Amino acid sequence: MTNDIHTLTRTDIVIVGGGLAGLFCALKLAPRPVTLISAAPLGQGASSAWAQGGIAAAVAEGDTPEAHAADTIAVGGGLVDAAVALGIAREAAPRIHDLLTYGVPFDRDLEGRLAVGREAAHSARRIVHVRGDGAGAAIIAALSEAVRRTPSIRVIEGVVAEALLTEDGAVTGLQLREAGNLSALVLAARAVVLATGGIGHLYAVTTNPREAGGSGLAIAARAGAVIADPEFVQFHPTAIMTGGDPAPLATEALRGEGATLINGNGERFMEARHSLAELAPRDIVARGVFAEIAAGRGAFLDARAALGKRFADKFPTVHASCLAAGIDPATQAIPIAPAAHYHMGGIAVDGRGRSSIDGLWAGGEVSSTGAHGANRLASNSLLEAVVYAARIAEDIAGRVLPSPAGVPDAPVASRGGAPDGAMVKRLRAMMSAHVGVVRDDPGLAEAVRHIATLEREATSTALRNMATSALLVAASAWSRRESRGAHFRIDHPTDVPALAQRTMTDLAAAREIAESLSEQPLPRTVQPMIA
């Protein structure tokens, strides 16, 4: 059922986020009453809907969860929690079954078995997909319809959660705001699940929707939650450079089908960088693409020989994006660049999805479970989202929720209205230039200082939350003086064995770093290498 926010008074369970983790968790909690808050209309504004590859699951003959977990660990830069990776891989098959039950039309082979594809760094074909590259959209459409049919789920759309309310270290509610409304509202809650997605829109070039601005990460950090691994941001190597914001994505499955990466001279450049060439881990491919662009040669995805006229049937979503930009991928190479795609960091949670704040759970990209380490394996994101959404629902359903504490009658200090467009553009440019694919000390220090100032002086709560998340990422990236996974520093280009441990931090620590850097001379300005 769908209701207006003004009809709400108290509720037991609030889920914030209308993407895969939020929808799946709400369905798993049924018939227990749930209120689901979504910033965009249900099914829109979620990165999950844009996922093209599919869900990684060891469901094919000869494949095993153990092999899947081993691949996950191999690309994670030494930071993957092995037990978490194996647990997720073992729960993949039942979660795929759940999605089938909710009406997701996964592709099947001629014998009726689930069809599986292969993506980079997977040792087997294990990507369950829909119409080649339409998995995300199909999954979100099916779950959105299932949610709307479920009487126990109340859906509130067009509303943003801008603060968590706590008392004595436990969640008591949320501060919400309708789009375009200068007044905030307070909703009491005994359990809150944050499923707000990632931080991609903090960067100038991203594959993520506008809603992926780090709001959930920020409000949890402001409430005192422990944040894990914020420095690890994955850049997808093949965003289609057509000037769009967000940039359309050319799925990794294209390279799994034989598409190659070439520069403007027509030369393949990944063969010299890694034994797996185009199927190397994403961080390595992203840096290879970045280097060709920085050298002025440009980078392109070439599917002419591998797919040719079959492109439209195999990958209709990518084909449509190319045609809209005047590119025929059957006969032309596709211009590409790395784009902010996925955040391995997030709110630190345990195996049940519980955060460090009592009454607060987190699932999907806003959380950090330890499954991805320093570099996520392709198509593990949707899998992690459904596995942890189910675990969160089971954990909440099995708990006796405390009686709600008193919630303030008036909202906490906030400023409504849309964030200043020029300041948002400046923040995104700063993140891309200094906290992007390639990083160094002067650039990171400059970013930390400028972002900390922006967080203090932000003229709207929305902008302040963006700056809070950006500060967490930049400060942790400055602190990690090595290169590991998706975090690459040209001044510390190798990994340091002693630093092979996850980052556990909080907003106070990030601010302390900013304060210490404010006392140093202003570093040189590092110019962005991707326009």
Side-chain angles (χ1 to χ4, degrees), residues 14-403:
V14 179
I15 299 174
V16 185
L20 177 57
L23 296 172
F24 199 82
C25 187
L27 288 167
K28 280 291 188 179
L29 277 164
R32 189 161 187 164
V34 169
T35 296
L36 191 150
I37 306 291
S38 180
L42 211 59
Q44 302 178 27
S47 297
S48 311
W50 297 14
Q52 294 177 358
I55 300 182
V59 294
E61 185 177 350
D63 196 9
T64 65
E66 288 73 19
H68 183 181
D71 290 346
T72 299
I73 294 166
V75 304
L79 300 188
V80 172
D81 185 317
V84 170
L86 182 57
I88 289 175
R90 286 175 171 168
E91 291 177 47
R95 299 293 76 81
I96 294 294
H97 176 75
D98 288 339
L99 291 170
L100 288 167
T101 301
Y102 292 133
V104 177
F106 287 119
D107 294 343
R108 295 183 180 273
D109 62 21
L110 294 177
E111 298 180 357
R113 297 172 300 194
L114 289 170
V116 289
R118 186 178 180 187
E119 291 183 350
H122 283 275
S123 60
R125 297 179 70 90
R126 65 167 67 99
I127 313 305
V128 183
H129 46 74
V130 179
R131 294 187 300 276
D133 60 1
I139 292 168
I140 293 300
L143 295 189
S144 295
E145 179 59 30
V147 162
R148 293 195 187 279
R149 293 195 308 264
T150 304
S152 60
I153 304 173
R154 174 166 44 186
V155 178
I156 307 294
E157 299 167 304
V159 173
V160 175
E162 63 177 24
L164 275 169
L165 305 177
T166 62
E167 185 172 304
D168 297 329
V171 167
T172 58
L174 287 157
Q175 181 168 299
L176 309 172
R177 190 185 301 275
E178 291 180 285
N181 195 329
L182 296 181
S183 299
L185 298 151
V186 167
L187 177 63
R190 296 194 292 171
V192 173
V193 180
L194 290 181
T196 52
I199 64 166
H201 207 70
L202 296 181
Y203 288 84
V205 182
T206 180
T207 62
N208 292 177
R210 179 175 54 86
E211 288 78 9
S215 63
L217 180 66
I219 66 174
R222 287 183 175 279
V226 173
I227 306 301
D229 302 331
E231 65 268 39
F232 296 112
V233 181
Q234 187 171 78
F235 295 86
H236 199 290
T238 56
I240 304 172
M241 293 310 291
T242 61
D245 183 20
L249 176 66
T251 174
E252 202 162 85
L254 281 160
R255 285 173 279 140
E257 292 295 324
T260 59
L261 297 175
I262 60 174
N263 59 27
N265 299 326
E267 304 162 335
R268 289 180 66 181
F269 54 84
M270 283 306 303
E271 291 176 308
R273 287 181 167 268
H274 196 279
S275 60
L276 292 176
E278 283 83 4
L279 293 180
R282 279 184 178 173
D283 61 312
I284 295 172
V285 180
R287 288 196 291 275
V289 172
F290 183 88
E292 294 300 311
I293 295 172
R297 292 184 290 268
F300 301 84
L301 179 67
D302 187 1
R304 292 174 291 185
L307 292 168
K309 293 181 180 180
R310 297 186 298 119
F311 198 116
D313 291 333
K314 290 283 289 184
F315 299 98
T317 304
V318 181
H319 188 263
S321 296
C322 290
L323 291 186
I327 302 165
D328 180 0
T331 61
Q332 297 172 275
I334 306 167
I336 57 169
H341 183 62
Y342 187 86
H343 193 202
M344 277 75 73
I347 302 164
V349 297
D350 66 11
R352 296 165 293 185
R354 294 183 185 182
S355 77
S356 60
I357 300 176
D358 189 31
L360 177 66
W361 288 257
E365 193 173 350
V366 74
S367 69
S368 183
T369 65
H372 308 306
N375 187 39
R376 176 178 66 88
L377 182 65
S379 290
N380 268 357
S381 56
L382 299 188
L383 174 61
E384 180 198 45
V386 293
V387 166
Y388 270 80
R391 291 182 183 183
I392 290 168
E394 182 179 9
D395 191 43
I396 292 175
R399 290 188 70 185
V400 176
L401 298 177
S403 299

